[in-house]
Amino acid sequence: MDIRSQISMVFHLDKCIGCHTCSIACKNIWTDRKGAEYMWWNNVETKPGTGYPTKWEDQSIYKGGWEKSNGTISLRGAGKKKGLLNIFHNPNLPVIDDYYEPFTYKYLDLIESPAMDDQPTARPVSLITGKPIDIKMGPNWDDDLSGTPDYARKDPNLANLSPAEQEAMFQLERMAFYYLPRICNHCLNPACVASCPSGAIYKRGEDGVVLINQKVCRAWRMCVTACPYKKSYYNWHTGKSEKCILCYPRLESGHAPACMHSCVGRIRYLGVMLYDADQIEKMASADEKDLVDAQLSMILDPFDPEVIKAAKANGIADSTIKAAQYSPTYKFVKKWGLALPLHPEFRTLPMLFYVPPMLPVMATLGQKRKGQTEKMDPMAKSWNDDWLYDTTTEDLFGTIDEARFPLQYMANLFSAGDTEKVKKVMKKQMAVRVHRRDVTVGDLSKDKVSSILKGAGIDAEMANDIYNLTSLAKFDERFVIPAAHREQAIELMDFTGDTKGSTGFGFKETPGRGI
Amino acid sequence: MDSFFTALDNFFLIGLPYLALTVFLVGSIWRYRSTKFKYSSLSSQFLEGKQLFWGSVPFHMGMLVVFLGHLSALLIPRGVLLWNSHPLRLIALEVTGFIFGLAILIGLGNLIYRRLTNPRIKVVTNNMDWIILSLLTLQVITGLWVAYNFRWGSSWFASVLTPYVYSIFKLQPDISAVSALPWVIKLHIVGAYTVVVLIPFSRLVHFLVVPINYIWRPYQQVMWNWDRKSVRSTSTAWSIKRPKNN
């Protein structure tokens, strides 16, 4: 057992309001530079939609992630053979047009324009060439455009849905969407690290943050291809690749990353998880249907005395173990089983987990009920009169199957196509709601409530805990950041021992006999 | 007048190679150690990928073969002469070299055209790129010219130029044979030294860091601030440099 600690994240999609504050916070701190304008280390996508870069999930185009053949996994579009053979020209490299051409506006024209018959306009100009352009794309170009043929219908996750199911998603009155905020997943089996010919990309041992050494990167640009989430970006100006650094300078000083700190919907959670690094290869090579369970099985119980002992033997600080015990992500992912990894079939073992959204799923269309129709205004009635929204809590679990978003769609995103896993999470979330309705309204029979809780596999206490961490949790409960132990490291990469024996402040000359 | 040409020969065939080697060695070490953030192949494929294929691939493949050809004539001249002892093999070698030389020329042509016409690529083009591109074009044109007009280069390279280069490295420069060569060949030699001079100061540095260690490196890389286990060992207690892992 080789126990390591990993900073992991949970995004609660039901709470995301799609405000893009996270993206802006990140942009302002890290990527507001020449060559990085087009990069959005954090971006928010509307689902169903094509995302950023366009159709990034479709690996038949981008060739990212790992694929399994004959029981072993290999990189789909990079790796030692493919990477070195394609080093002069990488056929699988996305180009800037797959993201968008960064632009600004000639704002000064608004102020400095001489008096004319017409109002002056601020023309858009390319941030690459400086020449006027017609804007064709942006990082959130399909924002809120669910149902449109150009975006939602080209969502790669719709591939294995029946035509009827697809059509049902796009009927105007059934149309629904949700937001998918994405950052680097800081994977346990990162494809970007494996693909880097110069060895510039590495995973930090202490907290699992994946970083690109800017001094070693030589622009072989294989990481851009290899990352199935397209979260490694090529800086066209400096000739170096860049990616989300999980705001490690903030983490090291106990602050939450900027995207998480600024999150308006408070959808983000960050905490430590202990895992067994010996299992990485085996679990990443599991059968597709077992991938989620395999990944979760690597995450260890931080209260188990054996685990604590092995963690200490491996040099993990007590403060980190304690942080793991209080970790909100451990609760969501392991204890409650509410959060799932995004596209586990890419086999990178991503450590950013998502609580699948329930709201658009659950507000379904049911058969007409007379009492309700009478209450509706004429406008609503003028739609198809046989159908209307059913938001009652009767037959709760029945409606999950008839949801506006087919479960298969959610499963394609969060469980490699296994609808049962997503359904289980939905049931738990619904049970929490039923429980809260019982506490606050009290109009449901006790038998019904307990049978629903039991059916979802949780009890009232756990439902309460889930409710608390989902709805009420304060900053310190959402972000449990272990101390970086800077007392052991004077500078990030310096060991105190190097400095301890030195002569004094200001320089590091070591005292020795003679020269 | 003769003494003028002798002086020229002395400068370009003795002075320049020593200058080039010194600048290359010192410059490369300096560049590698002190400008790490600017050390890159500066790929522009991200801004334009389709035209690049017809430039970069023929250029690099041709360069690889032609460079290895020159290198083998330098390192194993006897082997090359032995290979060339049969006329058929000689012609095969020369034709192969010439074809790959043409590939470089075609590649360079496409690269230059791309840099001149694509507005995005213009933005990431600097003066050094133009110097390198023109110099390499000159090199490949003179190279092809020499290969076509002064046959059979692979044989006389091994018997004329290899001893000359060896004499440079032995610090006993002997240019008696080389100085008698036609001026096109001399131009090609001088061009080669100039390329060597420019390597540390241009994007050509990327050829010094070809990532061959990727072949035997494990795929995943984890780095620690320091070695978690040995840092706790009493045997390292008073050592000044504690065990690190990166």
Side-chain angles (χ1 to χ4, degrees):
Chain A
M1 202 147 55
D2 179 12
I3 296 191
R4 291 182 196 162
S5 90
Q6 165 79 37
I7 303 275
S8 63
M9 298 77 76
V10 166
F11 290 0
H12 198 305
L13 295 183
D14 252 346
K15 303 208 288 170
C16 181
I17 59 171
C19 63
H20 300 270
T21 308
C22 43
S23 308
I24 298 299
C26 175
K27 168 65 65 182
N28 277 340
I29 297 186
W30 301 118
T31 58
D32 194 12
R33 292 172 281 125
K34 188 177 178 185
E37 319 91 340
Y38 84 95
M39 295 180 198
W40 293 84
W41 293 354
N42 180 110
N43 76 304
V44 184
E45 292 168 9
T46 301
K47 283 280 163 195
T50 48
Y52 156 88
T54 309
K55 296 182 94 174
W56 62 270
E57 289 155 295
D58 190 345
Q59 302 308 342
S60 66
I61 303 174
Y62 288 110
K63 307 271 190 266
W66 303 83
E67 62 186 350
K68 186 179 172 183
S69 58
N70 304 328
T72 54
I73 54 169
S74 58
L75 290 167
R76 193 178 274 116
K80 293 181 179 179
K81 207 167 130 203
K82 290 175 203 156
L84 291 176
L85 285 178
N86 291 330
I87 204 155
F88 302 140
H89 182 276
N90 179 357
N92 306 317
L93 184 78
V95 293
I96 186 118
D97 296 313
D98 291 319
Y99 303 78
Y100 70 104
E101 181 160 2
F103 54 86
T104 185
Y105 296 92
K106 292 171 93 174
Y107 294 109
L108 268 185
D109 287 0
L110 297 178
I111 300 166
E112 294 177 348
S113 165
M116 290 187 297
D117 291 341
D118 301 312
Q119 289 274 1
T121 53
R123 286 186 76 184
V125 289
S126 164
L127 273 174
I128 300 177
T129 60
K131 305 264 164 44
I133 54 165
D134 286 328
I135 302 171
K136 299 225 173 59
M137 270 284 280
N140 58 341
W141 206 239
D142 54 350
D143 216 22
D144 300 351
L145 286 179
S146 172
T148 55
D150 276 357
Y151 299 108
R153 279 166 210 239
K154 288 183 181 162
D155 186 324
N157 298 297
L158 297 170
N160 61 352
L161 267 61
S162 70
E165 275 179 314
Q166 292 193 25
E167 217 35 61
M169 287 177 76
F170 302 127
Q171 285 169 17
L172 186 63
E173 62 273 25
R174 287 171 70 103
M175 205 160 72
F177 61 84
Y178 65 95
Y179 299 104
L180 183 72
R182 302 198 298 121
I183 64 171
C184 167
N185 292 293
H186 297 281
C187 306
L188 296 185
N189 185 33
C192 58
V193 176
S195 73
C196 179
S198 0
I201 316 184
Y202 61 100
K203 193 172 178 66
R204 288 216 301 202
E206 282 76 10
D207 53 12
V209 176
V210 177
L211 295 173
I212 302 177
N213 188 339
Q214 293 287 298
K215 291 181 175 175
V216 183
C217 173
R218 311 275 186 236
W220 307 125
R221 70 221 171 274
M222 290 301 159
C223 54
V224 184
T225 297
C227 174
Y229 303 93
K230 289 292 162 280
K231 280 294 169 192
S232 180
Y233 301 90
Y234 182 69
N235 184 318
W236 54 265
H237 176 60
T238 60
K240 304 271 169 173
S241 284
E242 300 179 14
K243 62 178 284 300
C244 159
I245 58 174
L246 203 60
C247 285
Y248 75 80
R250 288 175 63 90
L251 277 183
E252 281 167 15
S253 49
H255 297 281
C259 58
M260 311 210 174
H261 196 133
S262 63
C263 180
V264 174
R266 302 176 185 187
I267 77 157
R268 301 190 177 208
Y269 300 83
L270 178 137
V272 171
M273 292 211 260
L274 302 178
Y275 70 100
D276 184 2
D278 284 340
Q279 305 283 324
I280 291 175
E281 200 178 338
K282 188 177 152 208
M283 296 310 175
S285 319
D287 287 341
E288 195 155 292
K289 60 179 170 44
D290 302 326
L291 269 172
V292 176
D293 291 333
Q295 184 179 356
L296 296 191
S297 74
M298 290 168 64
I299 299 164
L300 303 168
D301 179 3
F303 294 98
D304 182 347
E306 286 300 314
V307 171
I308 294 174
K309 199 176 146 200
K312 284 187 175 176
N314 224 0
I316 294 177
D318 288 356
S319 57
T320 307
I321 296 171
K322 200 174 170 194
Q325 291 172 341
Y326 283 96
S327 167
T329 55
Y330 179 78
K331 287 177 191 157
F332 270 114
V333 175
K334 268 293 261 201
K335 195 172 169 193
W336 301 333
L338 274 176
L340 297 166
L342 178 62
H343 287 300
E345 72 274 17
F346 297 161
R347 298 180 182 277
T348 61
L349 306 177
M351 288 308 268
L352 162 55
F353 298 85
Y354 291 88
V355 180
M358 189 171 60
L359 279 176
V361 177
M362 295 308 300
T364 184
L365 288 168
Q367 286 286 352
K368 177 168 70 174
R369 258 171 230 172
K370 201 159 183 332
Q372 284 180 330
T373 337
E374 279 159 6
K375 283 182 209 158
M376 293 179 85
D377 60 37
M379 181 80 102
K381 275 187 208 165
S382 70
W383 290 0
N384 189 341
D385 210 28
D386 288 337
W387 296 88
L388 53 85
Y389 285 104
D390 176 13
T391 52
T392 60
T393 47
E394 295 293 324
D395 300 326
L396 294 166
F397 298 151
T399 57
I400 290 180
D401 288 325
E402 300 159 13
R404 295 163 78 193
F405 270 155
L407 272 180
Q408 188 63 51
Y409 179 78
M410 289 297 174
N412 286 348
L413 275 144
F414 299 113
S415 62
D418 183 355
T419 49
E420 281 309 305
K421 284 210 172 58
V422 177
K423 196 170 169 183
K424 231 164 115 185
V425 174
M426 297 291 179
K427 276 187 173 186
K428 282 182 187 167
Q429 284 185 272
M430 200 38 145
V432 174
R433 271 158 219 244
V434 171
H435 167 76
R436 286 306 300 168
R437 188 181 175 107
D438 181 42
V439 172
T440 54
V441 183
D443 61 342
L444 300 168
S445 73
K446 292 287 166 202
D447 285 349
K448 174 121 189 146
V449 174
S450 63
S451 81
I452 287 175
L453 283 173
K454 208 172 165 197
I458 59 174
D459 56 25
E461 194 194 339
M462 195 186 272
N464 226 28
D465 289 347
I466 294 172
Y467 161 71
N468 277 326
L469 195 61
T470 307
S471 305
L472 305 178
K474 297 285 182 286
F475 199 90
D476 291 346
E477 293 160 277
R478 285 183 281 131
F479 308 115
V480 180
I481 302 161
H485 290 285
R486 288 178 70 87
E487 72 277 11
Q488 291 175 30
I490 297 227
E491 302 281 347
L492 181 64
M493 286 293 173
D494 277 348
F495 176 57
T496 339
D498 296 352
T499 314
K500 200 174 175 184
S502 67
T503 334
F505 300 108
F507 61 95
K508 288 186 184 176
E509 201 79 12
T510 44
R513 289 166 70 84
I515 300 166
Chain B
M1 206 59 193
D2 272 357
S3 65
F4 173 67
F5 283 116
T6 315
L8 268 190
D9 276 350
N10 281 342
F11 175 73
F12 282 115
L13 298 173
I14 302 174
L16 187 60
Y18 285 115
L19 185 76
L21 282 173
T22 315
V23 171
F24 170 71
L25 281 175
V26 176
S28 296
I29 293 168
W30 163 79
R31 178 83 199 269
Y32 186 80
R33 290 170 65 112
S34 58
T35 63
K36 287 182 176 172
F37 180 56
K38 293 181 173 179
Y39 210 104
S40 164
S41 62
L42 296 175
S43 164
S44 59
Q45 195 192 341
F46 183 70
L47 294 177
E48 198 290 313
K50 290 198 179 75
Q51 277 176 291
L52 180 72
F53 178 84
W54 300 105
S56 176
V57 174
F59 170 77
H60 280 99
M61 296 309 276
M63 214 44 158
L64 206 65
V65 171
V66 171
F67 176 73
L68 286 179
H70 283 68
L71 199 67
S72 55
L74 272 179
L75 296 179
I76 41 164
R78 275 166 220 277
V80 174
L81 287 174
L82 202 65
W83 171 273
N84 284 348
S85 59
H86 194 289
L88 212 61
R89 290 190 301 210
L90 167 70
I91 290 169
L93 183 71
E94 289 277 329
V95 168
T96 312
F98 199 81
I99 287 172
F100 279 93
L102 278 178
I104 304 180
L105 190 64
I106 293 166
L108 275 172
N110 286 331
L111 289 175
I112 290 171
Y113 177 76
R114 173 172 173 269
R115 272 198 191 276
L116 282 172
T117 53
N118 190 308
R120 287 178 185 167
I121 302 302
K122 273 188 198 167
V123 175
V124 289
T125 303
N126 57 23
N127 291 340
M128 190 48 103
D129 291 337
W130 286 123
I131 294 173
I132 294 292
L133 280 173
S134 1
L135 193 59
L136 290 180
T137 312
L138 179 79
Q139 273 307 85
V140 71
I141 288 175
T142 52
L144 289 170
W145 181 276
V146 168
Y148 186 76
N149 288 313
F150 304 102
R151 286 167 230 172
W152 302 94
S154 53
S155 283
W156 62 251
F157 186 107
S159 50
V160 176
L161 285 177
T162 307
Y164 157 65
V165 175
Y166 277 28
S167 77
I168 296 278
F169 277 101
K170 282 190 217 148
L171 301 180
Q172 290 162 342
D174 173 14
I175 58 165
S176 49
V178 185
S179 55
L181 289 173
W183 66 271
V184 190
I185 303 180
K186 284 187 191 169
L187 186 64
H188 191 72
I189 296 172
V190 170
Y193 292 141
T194 318
V195 172
V196 171
V197 169
L198 289 179
I199 286 173
F201 310 106
S202 66
R203 67 197 310 171
L204 293 181
V205 284
H206 75 273
F207 123 92
L208 298 175
V209 287
V210 173
I212 31 170
N213 65 330
Y214 185 46
I215 295 166
W216 54 82
R217 177 200 107 189
Y219 269 123
Q220 295 298 358
Q221 292 204 113
V222 178
M223 284 195 189
W224 301 84
N225 280 348
W226 56 84
D227 189 314
R228 295 163 295 162
K229 281 171 187 161
S230 52
V231 83
R232 284 172 164 70
S233 154
T234 46
S235 64
T236 64
W238 284 110
S239 56
I240 295 300
K241 287 285 175 198
R242 298 296 293 274
K244 286 190 177 186
N245 230 1
N246 57 359

